[in-house]
Amino acid sequence: MKKLKPTTPGQRQRIIADYSTLSRKEPEKSLSFGFKRRNGRAKSGEITVRHKGGGNKKLYRLIDFKQNKLDIPAKVASLEYDPNRSAFIALLSYADGDKRYVIAGKNMKVGDSVITSENAELVNGNRLPVHKMPTGFFVYNIELQPGKGGQIARTAGSYAKIMAHDGGRTHLMMPSGEIRIVLSKCLATIGTASNSEHNLINFGKAGA
C-alpha cells in the first residue's frame, strides 16, 4: 500500500494500492473493448433511477475464467491493473501464440510459467482439477460446474481451502467459514488472488 503525502485535505487520509509491481499501462488491444454503461437506465434507454452514471470511461478486459487450454504452457507476459475488478490481471502468452487475460495470483511475476493440466505441478498459478490437490491447499477462481469457468473466489485476496475429498466431491472452506461442495472434476488455480491489501484502500474523500 502507498500512503500519499498530506498536501491537501483529500490526500491527508488517502491510501492507495502500490502499482509499482505492475508492468504495463495500456491493455492488449485484441482483448479489450469499450462498452456503454447503462447505469440507472432501462433497456429502452429511458432513465428509471435518477442520479446514476458519469465517472471515467473504462475499457473492458476480456478475462479467461475457464483457462481451458489443456497441457499448453504459458508465460506471464505482463501484470496489469483492471478498472473493472479488484484483483490485478495477468496477460498469458501461450506456446501456440495465443494470448489471454487471467486473474493474477499473489506473488505472480512477469516471466513465470503456468499451465492448465491434470498432471500439472502443485505450484502457485497452475490450474488443475481440485481432486488432484492435497487437503490444506489454497485455491481461487474455482468452478462450480466442470467446464463453466471460475465463479467463486475471484476478488482481490480471495481463496478457498481444500478440506476433504469424498466420493467424487470436494469440500471447500470459504473465507467466511462456509463449506461449499463441488464436483472433484472442477478446475481451480493454486494460490490466492492478487491485491490482497485491497480492503485497506482509503479514498480520502467522497469525490474519489
Side-chain angles (χ1 to χ4, degrees), residues 49-142:
V49 181
R50 296 185 300 161
H51 315 303
K52 297 282 185 181
N56 293 330
K57 288 183 178 179
K58 301 175 183 178
L59 281 177
Y60 188 83
R61 281 77 164 166
L62 200 59
I63 307 296
D64 178 22
F65 292 113
K66 292 186 177 181
Q67 287 183 249
N68 55 1
K69 288 181 74 75
L70 296 174
D71 303 314
I72 301 176
K75 283 204 169 183
V76 178
S78 66
L79 294 172
E80 302 177 27
Y81 167 75
D82 187 349
N84 304 292
R85 62 196 74 254
S86 56
F88 297 139
I89 58 175
L91 179 63
L92 297 187
S93 182
Y94 286 87
D96 62 0
D98 195 10
K99 288 185 177 181
R100 296 189 183 183
Y101 276 126
V102 299
I103 300 291
K106 187 178 180 182
N107 300 326
M108 187 176 277
K109 300 185 297 296
V110 174
D112 285 355
S113 183
V114 297
I115 192 171
T116 301
S117 172
E118 288 214 0
N119 302 312
E121 289 185 53
L122 299 175
V123 295
N124 286 353
N126 282 353
R127 189 168 177 82
L128 55 162
V130 288
H131 71 88
K132 293 282 187 176
M133 305 180 205
T135 56
F137 264 49
F138 289 162
V139 291
Y140 68 100
N141 192 23
I142 308 155

Side-chain angles (χ1 to χ4, degrees), residues 4-16:
L4 300 184
K5 290 183 180 179
T7 54
T8 64
Q11 288 189 339
R12 206 170 302 283
Q13 306 294 333
R14 192 160 191 194
I15 300 172
I16 61 174

Side-chain angles (χ1 to χ4, degrees), residues 143-198:
E143 291 183 330
L144 288 175
Q145 296 176 10
K148 194 170 182 181
Q151 291 179 276
I152 54 177
R154 304 192 318 195
T155 58
S158 61
Y159 61 88
K161 185 178 181 181
I162 296 179
M163 301 300 293
H165 302 292
D166 180 28
R169 285 177 167 77
T170 297
H171 298 238
L172 301 171
M173 185 170 72
M174 309 302 291
S176 63
E178 175 193 2
I179 301 294
R180 297 292 294 266
I181 300 175
V182 299
L183 292 173
S184 295
K185 292 181 180 178
C186 290
L187 295 176
T189 306
I190 299 175
T192 64
S194 56
N195 198 16
S196 57
E197 295 180 330
H198 175 76

